[in-house]
mmCIF file of all heavy atoms in Angstrom:
data_model
loop_
_atom_site.group_PDB
_atom_site.id
_atom_site.type_symbol
_atom_site.label_atom_id
_atom_site.label_comp_id
_atom_site.label_asym_id
_atom_site.label_seq_id
_atom_site.Cartn_x
_atom_site.Cartn_y
_atom_site.Cartn_z
ATOM 1 N N LEU A 1467 -7.264 -15.539 -10.034
ATOM 2 C CA LEU A 1467 -7.586 -14.935 -8.745
ATOM 3 C C LEU A 1467 -9.102 -14.854 -8.620
ATOM 4 O O LEU A 1467 -9.797 -14.569 -9.599
ATOM 5 C CB LEU A 1467 -7.044 -13.504 -8.650
ATOM 6 C CG LEU A 1467 -5.577 -13.276 -8.374
ATOM 7 C CD1 LEU A 1467 -5.290 -11.788 -8.265
ATOM 8 C CD2 LEU A 1467 -5.112 -13.979 -7.125
ATOM 9 N N SER A 1468 -9.589 -15.046 -7.414
ATOM 10 C CA SER A 1468 -11.028 -14.844 -7.188
ATOM 11 C C SER A 1468 -11.287 -13.342 -7.184
ATOM 12 O O SER A 1468 -10.359 -12.532 -7.048
ATOM 13 C CB SER A 1468 -11.446 -15.466 -5.858
ATOM 14 O OG SER A 1468 -10.886 -14.727 -4.783
ATOM 15 N N ASP A 1469 -12.527 -12.944 -7.304
ATOM 16 C CA ASP A 1469 -12.876 -11.525 -7.272
ATOM 17 C C ASP A 1469 -12.465 -10.908 -5.931
ATOM 18 O O ASP A 1469 -11.976 -9.773 -5.895
ATOM 19 C CB ASP A 1469 -14.376 -11.316 -7.511
ATOM 20 C CG ASP A 1469 -14.776 -11.602 -8.957
ATOM 21 O OD1 ASP A 1469 -13.872 -11.612 -9.831
ATOM 22 O OD2 ASP A 1469 -15.976 -11.811 -9.205
ATOM 23 N N ASP A 1470 -12.640 -11.648 -4.825
ATOM 24 C CA ASP A 1470 -12.246 -11.145 -3.509
ATOM 25 C C ASP A 1470 -10.731 -10.944 -3.430
ATOM 26 O O ASP A 1470 -10.264 -9.925 -2.908
ATOM 27 C CB ASP A 1470 -12.685 -12.117 -2.405
ATOM 28 C CG ASP A 1470 -14.184 -12.077 -2.153
ATOM 29 O OD1 ASP A 1470 -14.836 -11.115 -2.613
ATOM 30 O OD2 ASP A 1470 -14.679 -13.001 -1.486
ATOM 31 N N GLN A 1471 -9.969 -11.897 -3.948
ATOM 32 C CA GLN A 1471 -8.510 -11.770 -3.941
ATOM 33 C C GLN A 1471 -8.066 -10.576 -4.795
ATOM 34 O O GLN A 1471 -7.176 -9.826 -4.411
ATOM 35 C CB GLN A 1471 -7.847 -13.052 -4.454
ATOM 36 C CG GLN A 1471 -7.907 -14.198 -3.477
ATOM 37 C CD GLN A 1471 -7.320 -15.460 -4.065
ATOM 38 O OE1 GLN A 1471 -7.566 -15.801 -5.231
ATOM 39 N NE2 GLN A 1471 -6.556 -16.188 -3.249
ATOM 40 N N ARG A 1472 -8.703 -10.416 -5.963
ATOM 41 C CA ARG A 1472 -8.358 -9.298 -6.848
ATOM 42 C C ARG A 1472 -8.625 -7.968 -6.121
ATOM 43 O O ARG A 1472 -7.817 -7.041 -6.177
ATOM 44 C CB ARG A 1472 -9.144 -9.385 -8.157
ATOM 45 C CG ARG A 1472 -8.711 -8.345 -9.185
ATOM 46 C CD ARG A 1472 -9.319 -8.595 -10.547
ATOM 47 N NE ARG A 1472 -8.984 -9.880 -11.108
ATOM 48 C CZ ARG A 1472 -7.843 -10.176 -11.742
ATOM 49 N NH1 ARG A 1472 -6.936 -9.245 -11.882
ATOM 50 N NH2 ARG A 1472 -7.630 -11.365 -12.215
ATOM 51 N N THR A 1473 -9.756 -7.881 -5.421
ATOM 52 C CA THR A 1473 -10.102 -6.656 -4.691
ATOM 53 C C THR A 1473 -9.096 -6.393 -3.573
ATOM 54 O O THR A 1473 -8.623 -5.263 -3.402
ATOM 55 C CB THR A 1473 -11.531 -6.756 -4.109
ATOM 56 O OG1 THR A 1473 -12.446 -6.951 -5.186
ATOM 57 C CG2 THR A 1473 -11.907 -5.521 -3.322
ATOM 58 N N ILE A 1474 -8.744 -7.428 -2.813
ATOM 59 C CA ILE A 1474 -7.756 -7.290 -1.733
ATOM 60 C C ILE A 1474 -6.415 -6.825 -2.299
ATOM 61 O O ILE A 1474 -5.766 -5.928 -1.746
ATOM 62 C CB ILE A 1474 -7.604 -8.623 -0.962
ATOM 63 C CG1 ILE A 1474 -8.876 -8.897 -0.153
ATOM 64 C CG2 ILE A 1474 -6.373 -8.606 -0.058
ATOM 65 C CD1 ILE A 1474 -8.948 -10.295 0.431
ATOM 66 N N LEU A 1475 -6.019 -7.404 -3.428
ATOM 67 C CA LEU A 1475 -4.762 -7.030 -4.065
ATOM 68 C C LEU A 1475 -4.796 -5.583 -4.543
ATOM 69 O O LEU A 1475 -3.827 -4.831 -4.363
ATOM 70 C CB LEU A 1475 -4.449 -7.966 -5.235
ATOM 71 C CG LEU A 1475 -3.143 -7.701 -5.957
ATOM 72 C CD1 LEU A 1475 -1.953 -7.881 -5.017
ATOM 73 C CD2 LEU A 1475 -3.019 -8.613 -7.164
ATOM 74 N N GLN A 1476 -5.905 -5.172 -5.122
ATOM 75 C CA GLN A 1476 -6.025 -3.786 -5.599
ATOM 76 C C GLN A 1476 -5.974 -2.800 -4.427
ATOM 77 O O GLN A 1476 -5.376 -1.730 -4.536
ATOM 78 C CB GLN A 1476 -7.306 -3.614 -6.417
ATOM 79 C CG GLN A 1476 -7.214 -4.302 -7.767
ATOM 80 C CD GLN A 1476 -8.548 -4.363 -8.503
ATOM 81 O OE1 GLN A 1476 -9.620 -4.284 -7.897
ATOM 82 N NE2 GLN A 1476 -8.469 -4.538 -9.822
ATOM 83 N N VAL A 1477 -6.593 -3.150 -3.306
ATOM 84 C CA VAL A 1477 -6.547 -2.298 -2.117
ATOM 85 C C VAL A 1477 -5.089 -2.201 -1.606
ATOM 86 O O VAL A 1477 -4.614 -1.108 -1.265
ATOM 87 C CB VAL A 1477 -7.492 -2.832 -1.013
ATOM 88 C CG1 VAL A 1477 -7.229 -2.155 0.326
ATOM 89 C CG2 VAL A 1477 -8.944 -2.659 -1.441
ATOM 90 N N TYR A 1478 -4.394 -3.332 -1.586
ATOM 91 C CA TYR A 1478 -2.989 -3.343 -1.155
ATOM 92 C C TYR A 1478 -2.146 -2.450 -2.068
ATOM 93 O O TYR A 1478 -1.369 -1.611 -1.596
ATOM 94 C CB TYR A 1478 -2.454 -4.782 -1.170
ATOM 95 C CG TYR A 1478 -0.950 -4.878 -1.058
ATOM 96 C CD1 TYR A 1478 -0.290 -4.599 0.141
ATOM 97 C CD2 TYR A 1478 -0.174 -5.251 -2.166
ATOM 98 C CE1 TYR A 1478 1.090 -4.678 0.238
ATOM 99 C CE2 TYR A 1478 1.210 -5.333 -2.070
ATOM 100 C CZ TYR A 1478 1.830 -5.048 -0.878
ATOM 101 O OH TYR A 1478 3.195 -5.131 -0.789
ATOM 102 N N ARG A 1479 -2.304 -2.601 -3.366
ATOM 103 C CA ARG A 1479 -1.511 -1.820 -4.321
ATOM 104 C C ARG A 1479 -1.849 -0.327 -4.229
ATOM 105 O O ARG A 1479 -0.968 0.514 -4.349
ATOM 106 C CB ARG A 1479 -1.699 -2.358 -5.741
ATOM 107 C CG ARG A 1479 -1.024 -3.719 -5.932
ATOM 108 C CD ARG A 1479 -1.380 -4.354 -7.268
ATOM 109 N NE ARG A 1479 -1.041 -3.518 -8.392
ATOM 110 C CZ ARG A 1479 0.135 -3.522 -9.026
ATOM 111 N NH1 ARG A 1479 1.097 -4.333 -8.628
ATOM 112 N NH2 ARG A 1479 0.347 -2.724 -10.058
ATOM 113 N N GLN A 1480 -3.115 -0.007 -3.995
ATOM 114 C CA GLN A 1480 -3.487 1.401 -3.848
ATOM 115 C C GLN A 1480 -2.864 1.985 -2.579
ATOM 116 O O GLN A 1480 -2.403 3.120 -2.571
ATOM 117 C CB GLN A 1480 -5.015 1.576 -3.828
ATOM 118 C CG GLN A 1480 -5.446 3.030 -3.839
ATOM 119 C CD GLN A 1480 -4.956 3.776 -5.082
ATOM 120 O OE1 GLN A 1480 -5.167 3.321 -6.203
ATOM 121 N NE2 GLN A 1480 -4.298 4.914 -4.888
ATOM 122 N N ALA A 1481 -2.832 1.186 -1.523
ATOM 123 C CA ALA A 1481 -2.197 1.644 -0.279
ATOM 124 C C ALA A 1481 -0.705 1.917 -0.512
ATOM 125 O O ALA A 1481 -0.152 2.888 0.021
ATOM 126 C CB ALA A 1481 -2.395 0.608 0.826
ATOM 127 N N LEU A 1482 -0.061 1.082 -1.334
ATOM 128 C CA LEU A 1482 1.348 1.340 -1.684
ATOM 129 C C LEU A 1482 1.480 2.649 -2.459
ATOM 130 O O LEU A 1482 2.365 3.457 -2.182
ATOM 131 C CB LEU A 1482 1.910 0.193 -2.538
ATOM 132 C CG LEU A 1482 2.225 -1.119 -1.813
ATOM 133 C CD1 LEU A 1482 2.616 -2.197 -2.821
ATOM 134 C CD2 LEU A 1482 3.334 -0.926 -0.789
ATOM 135 N N ARG A 1483 0.585 2.877 -3.425
ATOM 136 C CA ARG A 1483 0.651 4.113 -4.225
ATOM 137 C C ARG A 1483 0.414 5.351 -3.351
ATOM 138 O O ARG A 1483 0.993 6.397 -3.596
ATOM 139 C CB ARG A 1483 -0.384 4.069 -5.358
ATOM 140 C CG ARG A 1483 0.028 3.214 -6.529
ATOM 141 C CD ARG A 1483 -0.925 3.473 -7.689
ATOM 142 N NE ARG A 1483 -1.186 2.300 -8.486
ATOM 143 C CZ ARG A 1483 -1.939 1.260 -8.167
ATOM 144 N NH1 ARG A 1483 -2.558 1.208 -7.019
ATOM 145 N NH2 ARG A 1483 -2.084 0.259 -8.989
ATOM 146 N N ASP A 1484 -0.455 5.222 -2.348
ATOM 147 C CA ASP A 1484 -0.801 6.356 -1.491
ATOM 148 C C ASP A 1484 0.244 6.633 -0.406
ATOM 149 O O ASP A 1484 0.223 7.705 0.207
ATOM 150 C CB ASP A 1484 -2.156 6.113 -0.807
ATOM 151 C CG ASP A 1484 -3.316 6.092 -1.799
ATOM 152 O OD1 ASP A 1484 -3.137 6.570 -2.938
ATOM 153 O OD2 ASP A 1484 -4.393 5.584 -1.426
ATOM 154 N N LEU A 1485 1.132 5.706 -0.174
ATOM 155 C CA LEU A 1485 2.078 5.814 0.935
ATOM 156 C C LEU A 1485 2.864 7.134 0.940
ATOM 157 O O LEU A 1485 2.941 7.787 1.986
ATOM 158 C CB LEU A 1485 3.031 4.619 0.929
ATOM 159 C CG LEU A 1485 3.781 4.352 2.222
ATOM 160 C CD1 LEU A 1485 2.831 4.058 3.368
ATOM 161 C CD2 LEU A 1485 4.733 3.196 2.028
ATOM 162 N N PRO A 1486 3.437 7.579 -0.187
ATOM 163 C CA PRO A 1486 4.225 8.820 -0.140
ATOM 164 C C PRO A 1486 3.413 10.066 0.217
ATOM 165 O O PRO A 1486 3.984 11.073 0.622
ATOM 166 C CB PRO A 1486 4.800 8.944 -1.557
ATOM 167 C CG PRO A 1486 4.801 7.547 -2.083
ATOM 168 C CD PRO A 1486 3.579 6.907 -1.477
ATOM 169 N N SER A 1487 2.097 10.013 0.090
ATOM 170 C CA SER A 1487 1.289 11.194 0.406
ATOM 171 C C SER A 1487 0.707 11.138 1.827
ATOM 172 O O SER A 1487 0.016 12.063 2.246
ATOM 173 C CB SER A 1487 0.161 11.356 -0.622
ATOM 174 O OG SER A 1487 -0.698 10.236 -0.581
ATOM 175 N N GLN A 1488 1.006 10.081 2.561
ATOM 176 C CA GLN A 1488 0.504 9.974 3.930
ATOM 177 C C GLN A 1488 1.265 10.919 4.852
ATOM 178 O O GLN A 1488 2.421 11.266 4.608
ATOM 179 C CB GLN A 1488 0.667 8.545 4.449
ATOM 180 C CG GLN A 1488 -0.296 7.559 3.853
ATOM 181 C CD GLN A 1488 -0.112 6.180 4.492
ATOM 182 O OE1 GLN A 1488 0.603 6.017 5.466
ATOM 183 N NE2 GLN A 1488 -0.769 5.194 3.914
ATOM 184 N N GLU A 1489 0.597 11.312 5.927
ATOM 185 C CA GLU A 1489 1.249 12.163 6.924
ATOM 186 C C GLU A 1489 2.425 11.402 7.535
ATOM 187 O O GLU A 1489 2.323 10.226 7.847
ATOM 188 C CB GLU A 1489 0.246 12.544 8.019
ATOM 189 C CG GLU A 1489 0.804 13.553 8.988
ATOM 190 C CD GLU A 1489 -0.242 14.017 9.992
ATOM 191 O OE1 GLU A 1489 -1.431 14.069 9.640
ATOM 192 O OE2 GLU A 1489 0.167 14.313 11.110
ATOM 193 N N GLY A 1490 3.533 12.101 7.687
ATOM 194 C CA GLY A 1490 4.732 11.495 8.253
ATOM 195 C C GLY A 1490 5.729 11.037 7.195
ATOM 196 O O GLY A 1490 6.879 10.764 7.507
ATOM 197 N N ALA A 1491 5.257 10.911 5.943
ATOM 198 C CA ALA A 1491 6.170 10.497 4.868
ATOM 199 C C ALA A 1491 7.247 11.568 4.733
ATOM 200 O O ALA A 1491 6.970 12.745 4.931
ATOM 201 C CB ALA A 1491 5.408 10.317 3.564
ATOM 202 N N PRO A 1492 8.423 11.179 4.466
ATOM 203 C CA PRO A 1492 8.966 9.915 3.973
ATOM 204 C C PRO A 1492 9.526 8.997 5.068
ATOM 205 O O PRO A 1492 10.231 8.049 4.751
ATOM 206 C CB PRO A 1492 10.090 10.364 3.041
ATOM 207 C CG PRO A 1492 10.636 11.589 3.702
ATOM 208 C CD PRO A 1492 9.430 12.250 4.330
ATOM 209 N N TRP A 1493 9.251 9.280 6.333
ATOM 210 C CA TRP A 1493 9.749 8.471 7.446
ATOM 211 C C TRP A 1493 11.243 8.249 7.317
ATOM 212 O O TRP A 1493 11.999 9.198 7.240
ATOM 213 C CB TRP A 1493 8.985 7.144 7.567
ATOM 214 C CG TRP A 1493 7.519 7.347 7.752
ATOM 215 C CD1 TRP A 1493 6.884 7.727 8.886
ATOM 216 C CD2 TRP A 1493 6.506 7.242 6.733
ATOM 217 N NE1 TRP A 1493 5.535 7.857 8.648
ATOM 218 C CE2 TRP A 1493 5.274 7.562 7.339
ATOM 219 C CE3 TRP A 1493 6.509 6.909 5.387
ATOM 220 C CZ2 TRP A 1493 4.089 7.548 6.660
ATOM 221 C CZ3 TRP A 1493 5.317 6.896 4.697
ATOM 222 C CH2 TRP A 1493 4.126 7.217 5.340
ATOM 223 N N ASP A 1494 11.649 6.978 7.240
ATOM 224 C CA ASP A 1494 13.081 6.660 7.133
ATOM 225 C C ASP A 1494 13.475 6.264 5.713
ATOM 226 O O ASP A 1494 14.489 5.626 5.501
ATOM 227 C CB ASP A 1494 13.462 5.563 8.120
ATOM 228 C CG ASP A 1494 12.693 4.275 7.889
ATOM 229 O OD1 ASP A 1494 11.756 4.266 7.065
ATOM 230 O OD2 ASP A 1494 13.020 3.267 8.526
ATOM 231 N N GLY A 1495 12.664 6.651 4.753
ATOM 232 C CA GLY A 1495 12.998 6.371 3.359
ATOM 233 C C GLY A 1495 12.669 4.957 2.921
ATOM 234 O O GLY A 1495 13.307 4.424 2.022
ATOM 235 N N GLY A 1496 11.685 4.342 3.545
ATOM 236 C CA GLY A 1496 11.261 3.012 3.117
ATOM 237 C C GLY A 1496 11.885 1.870 3.888
ATOM 238 O O GLY A 1496 11.793 0.722 3.473
ATOM 239 N N ALA A 1497 12.500 2.167 5.003
ATOM 240 C CA ALA A 1497 13.124 1.098 5.798
ATOM 241 C C ALA A 1497 12.173 0.659 6.913
ATOM 242 O O ALA A 1497 10.956 0.676 6.736
ATOM 243 C CB ALA A 1497 14.468 1.575 6.342
ATOM 244 N N GLU A 1498 12.716 0.331 8.067
ATOM 245 C CA GLU A 1498 11.939 -0.278 9.153
ATOM 246 C C GLU A 1498 10.844 0.606 9.728
ATOM 247 O O GLU A 1498 9.836 0.099 10.205
ATOM 248 C CB GLU A 1498 12.886 -0.706 10.279
ATOM 249 C CG GLU A 1498 13.830 -1.807 9.891
ATOM 250 C CD GLU A 1498 14.812 -2.154 10.999
ATOM 251 O OE1 GLU A 1498 14.665 -1.647 12.121
ATOM 252 O OE2 GLU A 1498 15.729 -2.934 10.720
ATOM 253 N N ASP A 1499 11.042 1.917 9.746
ATOM 254 C CA ASP A 1499 10.057 2.810 10.359
ATOM 255 C C ASP A 1499 8.901 3.174 9.425
ATOM 256 O O ASP A 1499 7.995 3.891 9.824
ATOM 257 C CB ASP A 1499 10.733 4.094 10.843
ATOM 258 C CG ASP A 1499 11.676 3.848 12.014
ATOM 259 O OD1 ASP A 1499 11.529 2.806 12.692
ATOM 260 O OD2 ASP A 1499 12.557 4.689 12.238
ATOM 261 N N THR A 1500 8.960 2.708 8.191
ATOM 262 C CA THR A 1500 7.900 3.018 7.229
ATOM 263 C C THR A 1500 6.697 2.101 7.484
ATOM 264 O O THR A 1500 6.870 0.882 7.588
ATOM 265 C CB THR A 1500 8.415 2.827 5.788
ATOM 266 O OG1 THR A 1500 9.542 3.690 5.599
ATOM 267 C CG2 THR A 1500 7.347 3.153 4.767
ATOM 268 N N PRO A 1501 5.503 2.660 7.585
ATOM 269 C CA PRO A 1501 4.306 1.837 7.849
ATOM 270 C C PRO A 1501 3.790 1.169 6.572
ATOM 271 O O PRO A 1501 2.768 1.559 6.013
ATOM 272 C CB PRO A 1501 3.307 2.859 8.407
ATOM 273 C CG PRO A 1501 3.686 4.141 7.728
ATOM 274 C CD PRO A 1501 5.176 4.094 7.573
#
């Protein structure tokens, strides 16, 4: 992976980790209404 790709991937994975603590969680439990 290039350094840019690695950074983009790390940002994506961090966004996944942060999802349960976002306002509105747990939405529909990870289905269509989950952002």
Side-chain angles (χ1 to χ4, degrees):
L1467 282 182
S1468 69
D1469 289 341
D1470 286 345
Q1471 287 176 317
R1472 187 170 301 279
T1473 300
I1474 290 169
L1475 182 62
Q1476 288 170 337
V1477 167
Y1478 167 72
R1479 289 171 57 89
Q1480 187 60 52
L1482 286 173
R1483 282 191 215 74
D1484 293 343
L1485 198 61
S1487 62
Q1488 287 183 9
E1489 187 175 328
W1493 302 284
D1494 60 352
E1498 294 177 8
D1499 292 340
T1500 301

